[in-house]
C-alpha cells in the first residue's frame, strides 16, 4: 500500500497540537502566551498525550478507566503511585 501514516487520536500529538492551534486562534493570542489544560480520565491517552506536547493535564479520578484502580477518596499519593505503576507522567492537577 505505501504512503504516509498519520496517527490522529489520543495520545498522538496531532490531535493535541490542532486543539492548541484552534484555541490559540480563537483566543487571539500568541502560542507562547497560551496556558491550556486538557481534562481527561485516562493516564495513557489524556495525561500522557497532553504532557507530551507541553499542555497541562487535569486527571479525573472518580469516573473513567482508572476509577477502579484508586480508592474511593484517592489522595495525591495514590495518584502518584498509579502513575508510577502505569509509567505515565503525573498530571498538573487531579479532579474528583
Amino acid at each position: 500500500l505505501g504512503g504516509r501514516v498519520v496517527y490522529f487520536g489520543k495520545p498522538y500529538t496531532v490531535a493535541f497540537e490542532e486543539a492548541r492551534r484552534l484555541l490559540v486562534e480563537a483566543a487571539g493570542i500568541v502560542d507562547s502566551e497560551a496556558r491550556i489544560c486538557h481534562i481527561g480520565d485516562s493516564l495513557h491517552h489524556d495525561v500522557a498525550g497532553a504532557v507530551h506536547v507541553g499542555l497541562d493535564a487535569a486527571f479525573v479520578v472518580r469516573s473513567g478507566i482508572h476509577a477502579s484502580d484508586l480508592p474511593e477518596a484517592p489522595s495525591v499519593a495514590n495518584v502518584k503511585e498509579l502513575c508510577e505503576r502505569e509509567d505515565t507522567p503525573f498530571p498538573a492537577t487531579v479532579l474528583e
Side-chain angles (χ1 to χ4, degrees):
L1 294 168
R4 181 173 162 243
V5 175
V6 177
Y7 295 97
F8 192 77
K10 298 179 299 184
Y12 302 107
T13 60
V14 176
F16 289 98
E17 290 166 348
E18 180 63 6
R20 178 186 12 228
R21 186 190 68 75
L22 291 170
L23 289 167
V24 165
E25 182 180 294
I29 59 175
V30 295
D31 196 357
S32 62
E33 296 173 346
R35 294 207 54 216
I36 300 169
C37 182
H38 177 80
I39 301 170
D41 64 0
S42 169
L43 290 173
H44 294 281
H45 300 104
D46 296 303
V47 175
V51 169
H52 187 71
V53 297
L55 302 179
D56 286 334
F59 177 49
V60 179
V61 297
R62 290 211 179 217
S63 62
I65 65 173
H66 296 290
S68 63
D69 298 328
L70 293 163
E72 189 172 318
S75 67
V76 171
N78 295 137
V79 175
K80 185 174 182 176
E81 289 171 10
L82 179 61
C83 290
E84 290 170 357
R85 211 168 44 241
E86 296 290 325
D87 194 28
T88 60
F90 187 75
T93 193
V94 176
L95 304 174
E96 289 191 31

